[in-house]
Amino acid sequence: PFLLYGSVLFVCGKAVARYVFFPSIFLFFMVPVAALEQATFNLQFIVTGAVGVLSKIFGIGIQAMGTTLTATDGAFNFEIAEGCSGIRSLAAMTMLTAAYVYLTQDRLWKQIVIFLCSVAFAIIGNIGRIFTVVLVAKFYDPAFASGLYHDYSGYVFFPIAIVAMLAFAKIVNLPIFNGGRKTAAAGKEVEA
């Protein structure tokens, strides 16, 4: 990315280089997720801690230690692995959000705020997914929860996180945040 942007800047100048800045930065999303999984310890601890707190709030006997969730009655024991930390959904969510805000938002502050909140939505979505795995294990079947449900629940929670990001983008584009104007992303430019 730096070489591409620098080459265009050197050969064509600033006027042309500004058009390739975002595509050059977007190339960072080509970094394989497997390379990022080594840095997911914090994400694993966040998910484990949050699911432990949610379980206590809902009266489900769970002991959260490190990256392990253990039922107090011994019915199940789940390890939040590197892949379950949500790094894949986080990488996908940030990539989609980066493209979305670049193409639809008219102000840099909106792009930054929506992008940063998409990270939170991806993490919250993954916490919700793991918590539902615990619920299914507690009230239905631990083998089903750790098997089929775990493998396919992401197809439900990832779209929910995307819808949350799109709804948040709509809120950011309300006239109250734009000095009484509708933005180009929301439709026509009009005076209030």
Side-chain angles (χ1 to χ4, degrees):
F2 296 119
L3 181 62
L4 175 67
Y5 178 75
S7 299
V8 171
L9 180 65
F10 180 74
V11 173
C12 303
K14 289 181 183 179
V16 176
R18 72 183 185 105
Y19 290 108
V20 297
F21 179 73
F22 178 76
S24 298
I25 296 299
F26 197 75
L27 291 174
F28 278 111
F29 288 109
M30 290 177 31
V31 173
V33 173
L36 300 175
E37 284 186 7
Q38 301 304 318
T40 62
F41 268 133
N42 288 338
L43 227 58
Q44 289 172 276
F45 289 124
I46 289 170
V47 170
T48 305
V51 170
V53 169
L54 284 172
S55 298
K56 286 180 185 174
I57 290 171
F58 287 94
I60 299 168
I62 296 288
Q63 185 176 10
M65 292 189 63
T67 60
T68 304
L69 297 169
T70 306
T72 53
D73 62 1
F76 58 87
N77 181 17
F78 296 136
E79 176 76 24
I80 305 299
E82 291 173 349
C84 292
S85 66
I87 191 68
R88 289 182 182 94
S89 60
L90 182 61
M93 182 74 165
T94 54
M95 183 193 70
L96 289 172
T97 304
Y100 173 76
V101 297
Y102 177 73
L103 295 172
T104 64
Q105 302 304 309
D106 59 347
R107 301 278 185 257
L108 180 62
W109 72 266
K110 291 180 189 179
Q111 293 173 346
I112 292 169
V113 167
I114 294 168
F115 182 80
L116 292 177
C117 286
S118 75
V119 172
F121 292 138
I123 292 170
I124 291 168
N126 191 54
I127 290 169
R129 182 179 75 86
I130 298 299
F131 181 61
T132 61
V133 169
V134 168
L135 291 176
V136 170
K138 176 72 176 170
F139 297 112
Y140 183 63
D141 179 29
F144 175 74
S146 64
L148 189 66
Y149 183 80
H150 170 270
D151 295 343
Y152 291 99
S153 59
Y155 294 112
V156 173
F157 284 91
F158 187 73
I160 290 171
I162 291 204
V163 168
M165 181 271 296
L166 293 172
F168 182 74
K170 289 282 187 190
I171 291 169
V172 168
N173 283 297
L174 288 174
I176 192 169
F177 297 112
N178 297 301
R181 295 181 180 199
K182 287 188 178 181
T183 64
K188 306 174 231 169
E189 229 11 82
V190 292
E191 294 284 333

